[in-house]
Amino acid sequence: MITTTRRTGARRIALAAALWAVAGLVSGGVLGGGTARADNGIDTLSAQQIADRSRDALLGVRSLHLGSRGDLSGRNPSAELTLTMDRDGNCDGSVDLGGGRGSVRIVKRADDVWLKPDTDFWKNQVPVGGPAFAAILDGRYLRAPADDPRLHGVTAGCDLDHLRRLVVDNAENDRGTLNKGRRTTLDGAPVVPLTRIRDGRTLTMYVAATGRPYPLRITVEGGEAHAVADLSAFDTPVPATTPPPDETYDINALPGRTTAPL
């Protein structure tokens, strides 16, 4: 029987990263790459105008790459997510829960999803029977239909439209004064920082000052929270490669399967 003592790691980290991106600032981000881009004039705008334009830019993209690390509660080891996803629900990436708690490779394409938990994940996240399942898979991906209810947390976290809905739903969550900082650079890219202090935490978003005004980075600092979310590769397609059949194992072939989420 597959059982867990906590929420799926992939779901927790993916959704947490998405929430960082909308928690009182805007949401989104992209690295401009090496191509020269024209100044977009956001230096002359108010903090709220910059935030609004950044939100609109995010809502218009078809795909993006999300990278996040850290912990918002201070109760867990720093976790890390790297995920490319699009509005069709395709995704490719991995989640590392940190502190030796395990990691999961994730691939979702059309109607199928493939998961490849490591040994530490099976041992720590599935304490009842986990090592046995690790032995059965023997390094292969676990393949399942994308609509399998046991994997809802994974498939929801893979969908860029889910993130977009969070952005829209949190658009009016504006507690705390939004402030505009002086133009600076982030990894060589010109940016304008926006900050908001809320509940003892400082939320900062770095918005690209050239090209489209996408945020490059969102950070949360204060108290026990320390988290960073970077977004990049906007409108770059999700890799279409999926694991070959000889490297997969059908979830319905697992012994003692249940409706509990993996």
Side-chain angles (χ1 to χ4, degrees):
M1 177 179 291
I2 301 176
T3 59
T4 58
T5 57
R6 62 205 70 171
R7 296 175 60 194
T8 294
R11 180 184 182 189
R12 178 173 64 245
I13 303 305
L15 296 185
L19 288 172
W20 298 340
V22 298
L25 291 170
V26 184
S27 304
V30 66
L31 296 177
T35 303
R37 294 170 181 264
D39 193 294
N40 59 26
I42 63 170
D43 305 62
T44 65
L45 302 178
S46 69
Q48 190 58 57
Q49 287 174 319
I50 296 172
D52 291 343
R53 292 196 181 189
S54 294
R55 182 183 65 247
D56 291 344
L58 172 68
L59 293 177
V61 301
R62 296 295 311 177
S63 61
L64 59 81
H65 178 81
L66 170 66
S68 66
R69 58 194 180 277
D71 177 50
L72 294 175
S73 68
R75 294 187 296 270
N76 299 306
S78 180
E80 185 170 347
L81 166 77
T82 177
L83 190 69
T84 301
M85 55 184 169
D86 65 23
R87 289 166 63 176
D88 294 323
N90 302 308
C91 71
D92 187 292
S94 62
V95 177
D96 188 330
L97 300 181
R101 295 182 298 164
S103 64
V104 183
R105 178 89 171 85
I106 305 168
V107 177
K108 181 177 177 291
R109 194 78 190 173
D111 297 328
D112 294 292
V113 62
W114 293 260
L115 302 175
K116 190 177 184 180
D118 67 3
T119 301
D120 285 336
F121 182 94
W122 285 115
K123 180 177 67 176
N124 295 306
Q125 308 303 317
V126 189
V128 180
F133 290 119
I136 292 171
L137 291 177
D138 192 24
R140 291 173 290 183
Y141 285 82
L142 187 64
R143 179 176 180 172
D147 60 0
D148 190 311
R150 291 166 291 186
L151 304 179
H152 174 72
V154 176
T155 54
C158 273
D159 193 344
L160 178 55
D161 271 342
H162 181 76
L163 172 58
R164 294 172 73 248
R165 286 191 295 272
L166 286 174
V167 173
V168 172
D169 291 345
N170 285 272
E172 303 304 321
N173 185 10
D174 57 358
R175 288 185 299 111
T177 302
L178 184 65
N179 296 300
K180 181 177 78 171
R182 292 189 176 186
R183 178 169 171 149
T184 183
T185 60
L186 178 68
D187 296 331
V191 294
V192 174
L194 302 179
T195 61
R196 190 191 299 277
I197 298 176
R198 178 188 297 155
D199 301 327
R201 296 178 176 181
T202 300
L203 295 85
T204 305
M205 179 172 68
Y206 299 88
V207 182
T210 57
R212 298 203 66 190
Y214 298 118
L216 302 181
R217 176 173 295 167
I218 300 103
T219 66
V220 182
E221 298 283 352
E224 297 181 323
H226 176 75
V228 180
D230 293 308
L231 290 93
S232 61
F234 272 56
D235 291 324
T236 299
V238 175
T241 303
T242 58
D246 62 351
E247 294 182 15
T248 67
Y249 191 95
D250 193 313
I251 191 172
N252 292 317
L254 284 175
R257 61 187 184 278
T258 84
T259 57
L262 178 64

